[in-house]
């Protein structure tokens, strides 16, 4: 029998082929194990420290009778559309969870998929299971990634698509410019910040053709560029027309560059530097040590003890073999050149985000998720280069450090935020759920994130926006059930701004301390209206 050409040219024996197949199967099983471990760690520790965007998105999805303009936002154009489809599909299958739950569990799945893909990228780059597992653990259990993997928001799926795009442009892989354009375009359609990945895709496509025909790399870069621009701008422009009913290019540019005015660009260099360093650190290690006091009990004590024990073990290993570590790192820095293409790709991934986020809301940790994988890959270059030192002795310091990060973030961030009492506004919302009956009306002057949270966890309530003069002038015309409503913080504050308003509040509302949360961090209060006080003069 004539052997296939590939086998003849490579002189692959049956035993070698069998070994290769076994190795691939082992790697596939290990990847599935990484996915399963990450998914379980996420789904068993769903956060209750909800970021306000997720609550808002969940409410919009539940309120939308069909796909409409309410699901479209230029910063994350199609994200809510996909999440709405997932929510409706879940209900069509006969399940009836809240949209928030669907979004959280889907994020757990997508985040675990991203972790498994990151592991495969590390295997391709470093050819070391040890290095790959350490880097994957650091990525999977870094504070902000872990938090948003268990929350409801758009960042996780956007980063997953960037990882898919990065995997396609790794040196040594077959160049696929159109596939790269599709996945990167999808990432940008889910979140605009994915646009800064553009230099990585260009450089990756050029590197892939470097050993073949140099002109082919430039041609592939042009194919990718034209395709990604056509896809992204085309979908954005058409969606803009559907939402606004106009093709005005000027309005289109204003629409896609919109951002909330209270959160924009800032040019205080020192403050921006401090915020950038702090937010970068919090992306990696988060939470509060004070949770040991606030959540005092066996669970938090055990977790804190494990954190201290692993940290002590790491410091001991570090100090005991300091000279050996120092020589290994010097060797690593001198011999990291063999990872030059990967280093360039990671730098091109990181730098545009660092520059942009230095000026745009530098205190936001979650935007730094967009380049977080590149940071760990750079760290992996140093670890892998040190591992190749001829005098290197395996001390497993990196593995112990990964354990420190895992237990620290579990103890002081992820586990505490699975408890409602670690999120006081949520605790108040659940308490109000026991007080407010179905149909209770809550009046508010202006929307805010606290009200969004309270409303979402009290789905039977009716929220009505009104000004103080409307309440005082038209209240007699309302039904008895509407009169037996509540005033929120924004409306109470407006009443208290005038002497007449303060008198009105005293005469027509009841102050209930159990229905408010006022301290150094929070200012949420609700006052109950007294229906029987209308129609008679105040005392």
């Amino acid at each position: 029998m004539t052997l296939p050409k590939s086998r003849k040219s490579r002189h692959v024996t049956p035993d070698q082929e069998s070994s290769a197949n076994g190795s691939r199967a082992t790697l596939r099983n290990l990847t599935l194990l990484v996915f399963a471990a990450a998914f379980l760690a996420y789904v068993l520790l769903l956060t209750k420290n909800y970021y306000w965007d997720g609550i808002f998105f969940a409410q919009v999805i539940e309120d939308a009778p069909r796909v409409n303009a309410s699901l479209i936002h230029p910063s994350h154009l199609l994200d809510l559309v996909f999440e709405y489809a997932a929510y409706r599909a879940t209900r069509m299958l006969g399940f009836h969870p809240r949209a928030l739950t669907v979004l959280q569990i889907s994020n757990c799945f997508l985040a675990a998929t991203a972790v498994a893909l990151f592991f495969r990228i590390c295997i391709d780059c470093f050819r070391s299971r040890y290095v790959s597992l350490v880097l994957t653990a650091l990525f999977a259990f870094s504070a902000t990634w872990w938090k948003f993997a268990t929350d409801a928001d758009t960042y996780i799926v956007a980063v997953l698509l960037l990882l898919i795009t990065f995997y396609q442009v790794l040196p040594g892989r077959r160049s696929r410019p159109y596939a790269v354009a599709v996945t990167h375009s999808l990432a940008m359609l889910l979140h605009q910040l994915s646009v800064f990945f553009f230099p990585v895709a260009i450089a990756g496509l050029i590197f892939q053709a470097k050993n073949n025909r140099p002109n082919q790399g430039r041609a592939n870069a042009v194919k990718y560029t034209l395709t990604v621009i056509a896809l992204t701008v085309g979908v954005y422009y058409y969606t803009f027309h559907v939402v606004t009913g106009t093709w005005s290019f000027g309005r289109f540019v204003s629409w896609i560059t919109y951002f909330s005015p209270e959160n924009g660009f800032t040019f205080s260099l020192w403050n921006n530097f401090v915020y950038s360093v702090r937010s970068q650190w919090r992306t990696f290690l988060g939470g509060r040590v004070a949770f040991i006091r606030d959540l005092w009990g066996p669970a938090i004590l055990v977790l804190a003890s494990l954190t201290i024990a692993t940290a002590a073990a790491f410091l001991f290993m570090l100090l005991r073999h300091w000279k050996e570590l120092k020589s290994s790192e010097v060797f690593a820095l001198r011999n990291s050149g063999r990872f030059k293409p990967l280093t360039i790709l990671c730098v091109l991934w990181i730098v545009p985000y660092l520059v942009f986020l230095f000026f745009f809301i530098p205190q936001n940790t979650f935007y730094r998720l967009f380049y977080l994988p590149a940071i760990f890959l750079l760290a992996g270059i140093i670890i892998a280069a040190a591992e190749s030192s001829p005098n290197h002795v395996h001390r497993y310091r990196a593995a112990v450090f990964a354990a420190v990060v895992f237990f620290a973030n579990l103890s002081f961030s992820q586990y505490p935020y699975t408890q409602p009492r670690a999120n006081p506004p949520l605790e108040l919302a659940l308490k109000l759920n026991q007080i407010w009956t179905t149909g209770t009306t809550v009046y508010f002057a202006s929307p805010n994130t606290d009200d969004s949270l309270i409303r979402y966890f009290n789905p039977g309530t009716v929220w009505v926006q009104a000004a103080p003069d409307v309440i005082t002038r038209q209240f007699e015309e309302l039904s008895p059930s509407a009169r037996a409503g509540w005033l929120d913080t924004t409306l109470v504050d407006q009443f208290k701004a005038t002497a007449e308003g303060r008198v009105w509040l005293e005469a027509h509302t009841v102050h209930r301390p159990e229905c408010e949360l006022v301290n150094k961090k929070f200012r949420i209060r609700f006052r109950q209206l007294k229906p029987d006080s209308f129609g008679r003069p105040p005392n």
Side-chain angles (χ1 to χ4, degrees):
M1 179 184 292
T2 303
L3 292 175
K5 185 177 181 180
S6 59
R7 180 177 291 182
K8 287 177 68 178
S9 61
R10 295 180 185 179
H11 303 288
V12 178
T13 67
D15 287 343
Q16 289 174 326
E17 185 174 9
S18 176
S19 177
N21 290 336
S23 180
R24 284 194 293 269
T26 301
L27 180 58
R28 183 170 58 251
N29 292 337
L30 188 56
T31 304
L32 290 173
L33 183 61
V34 167
F35 169 85
F39 180 73
L40 285 175
Y42 297 153
V43 80
L44 295 177
L45 293 164
L46 295 179
T47 188
K48 289 185 170 59
N49 179 30
Y50 307 107
Y51 185 58
W52 70 269
D53 263 3
I55 296 293
F56 175 75
F57 294 162
Q59 190 69 65
V60 168
I61 287 170
E62 291 184 10
D63 290 345
R66 61 185 180 282
V67 175
N68 56 32
S70 70
L71 300 171
I72 303 297
H73 191 286
S75 294
H76 32 82
L77 190 73
L78 299 181
D79 178 59
L80 280 182
V81 175
F82 292 141
E83 292 176 352
Y84 178 82
Y87 173 65
R88 287 297 173 187
T90 303
R91 296 183 68 85
M92 288 175 63
L93 291 173
F95 303 101
H96 299 281
R98 301 293 305 276
L100 182 65
T101 303
V102 174
L103 301 189
Q104 284 186 280
I105 294 177
S106 63
N107 256 1
C108 291
F109 179 85
L110 294 168
T113 303
V115 167
L117 177 58
F118 180 79
F119 172 72
R120 290 302 296 265
I121 289 171
C122 291
I123 287 288
D124 278 10
C125 293
F126 306 119
R127 305 297 177 182
S128 167
R129 292 180 184 177
Y130 170 71
V131 174
S132 300
L133 287 171
V134 167
L135 295 175
T136 301
L138 289 171
F139 172 57
F141 302 118
S142 56
T144 302
W145 176 267
W146 198 350
K147 191 271 181 195
F148 278 89
T150 62
D151 203 348
D153 228 304
T154 186
Y155 309 112
I156 297 298
V157 64
V159 174
L160 170 60
L161 285 165
L162 291 185
L163 282 169
I164 294 173
T165 308
F166 185 74
Y167 186 62
Q168 295 179 94
V169 299
L170 283 176
R173 293 188 64 82
R174 181 182 174 186
S175 190
R176 302 175 185 272
Y178 296 117
V180 171
V182 169
T183 55
H184 188 202
S185 178
L186 281 173
M188 289 188 284
L189 293 173
L190 291 176
H191 202 288
Q192 282 182 335
L193 281 182
S194 302
V195 69
F196 294 110
F197 190 83
F198 188 82
V200 185
I202 292 287
L205 290 168
I206 291 174
F207 282 143
Q208 286 177 335
K210 194 171 182 180
N211 295 328
N212 299 316
R213 291 178 297 168
N215 290 337
Q216 185 62 42
R218 290 191 288 271
N220 286 341
V222 170
K223 292 176 185 177
Y224 153 77
T225 301
L226 294 177
T227 306
V228 77
I229 291 174
L231 284 174
T232 308
V233 175
V235 173
Y236 256 98
Y237 202 23
Y238 179 74
T239 306
F240 162 77
H241 168 70
V242 170
V243 171
T244 64
T246 178
W247 293 103
S248 169
F249 188 74
R251 285 186 60 186
F252 172 66
V253 172
S254 298
W255 187 70
I256 63 173
T257 56
Y258 169 82
F259 56 85
S260 182
E262 68 270 15
N263 292 317
F265 292 93
T266 176
F267 299 96
S268 173
L269 297 184
W270 175 249
N271 286 341
N272 288 4
F273 173 76
V274 172
Y275 283 137
S276 297
V277 172
R278 187 181 69 181
S279 61
Q280 188 64 67
W281 174 258
R282 289 179 175 176
T283 303
F284 188 56
L285 285 172
R288 294 190 294 117
V289 177
F291 279 133
I292 297 177
R293 180 196 63 226
D294 299 339
L295 303 177
W296 186 262
I300 196 72
L301 287 177
V302 169
L303 291 175
S305 299
L306 289 170
T307 303
I308 294 170
T310 52
F314 175 71
L315 288 174
F316 175 76
M317 296 170 72
L318 206 63
L319 295 174
R320 185 180 181 185
H321 304 285
W322 177 253
K323 290 184 179 180
E324 176 189 298
L325 174 65
K326 190 175 179 180
S327 63
S328 293
E329 293 307 315
V330 170
F331 178 87
L333 291 173
R334 289 176 179 174
N335 293 272
S336 58
R338 62 193 178 98
F339 296 107
K340 186 177 178 180
L342 178 62
T343 302
I344 293 173
L345 291 179
C346 289
V347 170
L348 289 174
W349 191 346
I350 294 169
V351 170
Y353 282 103
L354 281 181
V355 173
F356 179 77
L357 296 178
F358 185 85
F359 298 102
F360 186 75
I361 325 181
Q363 63 269 33
N364 276 4
T365 59
F366 42 85
Y367 287 160
R368 301 186 185 277
L369 294 176
F370 283 91
Y371 63 91
L372 185 64
I375 291 178
F376 291 119
L377 287 173
L378 280 182
I381 290 171
I382 302 299
I383 298 173
E387 289 267 315
S388 65
S389 170
N391 299 321
H392 179 75
V393 179
H394 281 287
R395 304 292 184 188
Y396 301 101
R397 285 178 290 256
V400 175
F401 179 69
V404 173
V405 172
F406 171 79
F407 284 118
N409 286 330
L410 179 62
S411 304
F412 307 127
S413 178
Q414 200 60 36
Y415 168 72
Y417 281 123
T418 63
Q419 312 298 310
R421 56 185 171 145
N423 186 0
L426 174 62
E427 196 173 28
L428 175 62
L430 298 177
K431 186 187 298 181
L432 291 170
N433 195 261
Q434 305 300 314
I435 297 172
W436 291 346
T437 58
T438 300
T440 295
T441 303
V442 182
Y443 297 94
F444 66 99
S446 56
N448 59 75
T449 57
D450 291 330
D451 279 359
S452 295
L453 180 70
I454 302 293
R455 178 191 174 191
Y456 190 79
F457 286 97
N458 289 273
T461 55
V462 178
W463 291 67
V464 178
Q465 188 168 8
D469 61 327
V470 174
I471 297 290
T472 56
R473 186 176 64 252
Q474 300 182 5
F475 218 83
E476 292 291 345
E477 303 171 6
L478 297 176
S479 64
S481 61
R483 291 186 196 175
W486 294 68
L487 307 182
D488 90 320
T489 312
T490 61
L491 205 47
V492 170
D493 286 347
Q494 290 195 13
F495 271 110
K496 287 190 171 184
T498 65
E500 296 83 355
R502 290 191 291 273
V503 171
W504 191 93
L505 278 179
E506 290 300 319
H508 299 295
T509 64
V510 178
H511 175 225
R512 297 182 60 174
E514 73 274 20
C515 298
E516 64 180 30
L517 174 63
V518 180
N519 54 37
K520 292 181 180 179
K521 291 186 177 181
F522 305 104
R523 191 167 173 277
I524 310 172
R525 51 162 55 99
F526 293 92
R527 295 191 68 146
Q528 187 175 15
L529 291 164
K530 297 188 291 187
D532 58 344
S533 67
F534 295 93
R536 58 181 177 81
N539 295 331

